[in-house]
Amino acid sequence: MTIVFINSFILFFVTIDTIGNLPFFLALTEEAKIKQRNHIAIKSVIIAFFIMVTFAYVGRYLLDAIEVSLDSLKIAGGIILMFLAIDILFEKRKIRREKRVEEALDEKNFDEIIVFPIAIPFIAGPSALTTIILLIGNYANFPEFQIPVILALVAALLVSLFLMIGASFIVKFIPKQILHATARVMAFILAALATQFIIDGIKASFNI
């Protein structure tokens, strides 16, 4: 179960892209007071958690309804996560988020930005939602292994919350080069895990 927790935590940490979200969170909450910024961070993380958990279990039934197998989802999810890793490595994801921040800043309302764009898609984005469906679905016949997956999600979200609350201090004292390097190392690990998802899906689909 420890291995399940560690692998799940790495996947959630990278797909949520906690480190990469910090500059955008600061940009969106630049005019907010510290107490208000912390309130935004807490509510955004709580909302993202419920969205992801709901999506994890409801999403599986939706797949069954449209007759899409878990093995097919593994292959598709692996490909999506691979593109995400490439996006992070070449900073394409950063450019897209900068555009979202600019749009949000045009009509800034702190209550509105809690749900969009912070909770969705910065925290609970397509990649994170795909990841939790894959992980929960992977252990559909072993509910006890779903517990460390949920705990890993909680841990990743708590790290995200901690970083958002301390974002102004973290960005001030930690060089951007270190933040970018860390994000790219995690993206490389994500690419390896995505490859494993694709391999597992192909093996299961063709009984190799």
Side-chain angles (χ1 to χ4, degrees), residues 35-143:
K35 187 176 180 180
Q36 192 174 21
R37 180 182 288 156
N38 293 346
H39 172 75
I40 293 168
I42 292 168
K43 288 195 75 172
S44 297
V45 166
I46 292 172
I47 291 169
F49 171 77
F50 283 108
I51 289 171
M52 291 181 72
V53 171
T54 302
F55 203 84
Y57 291 98
V58 174
R60 182 65 195 274
Y61 290 110
L62 177 62
L63 290 172
D64 289 340
I66 60 177
E67 297 182 351
V68 174
S69 70
L70 182 60
D71 297 326
S72 298
L73 183 66
K74 281 184 180 179
I75 297 170
I79 293 170
I80 291 171
L81 295 176
M82 181 64 73
F83 278 115
L84 171 63
I86 293 170
D87 272 3
I88 295 172
L89 286 168
F90 294 99
E91 296 191 340
K92 292 180 180 178
R93 195 183 189 195
K94 179 183 175 183
I95 295 169
R96 286 198 297 272
R97 281 183 303 196
E98 284 174 346
K99 289 181 180 178
R100 290 197 191 109
V101 169
E102 287 175 5
E103 290 169 1
L105 287 174
D106 287 340
E107 298 179 0
K108 184 182 286 185
N109 183 312
F110 292 125
D111 289 330
E112 290 178 1
I113 65 172
I114 287 172
V115 178
F116 180 88
I118 298 176
I120 307 171
F122 281 178
I123 300 175
S127 302
L129 294 172
T130 301
T131 297
I132 196 165
I133 285 184
L134 281 171
L135 291 173
I136 293 297
N138 214 24
Y139 303 110
N141 298 323
F142 305 96

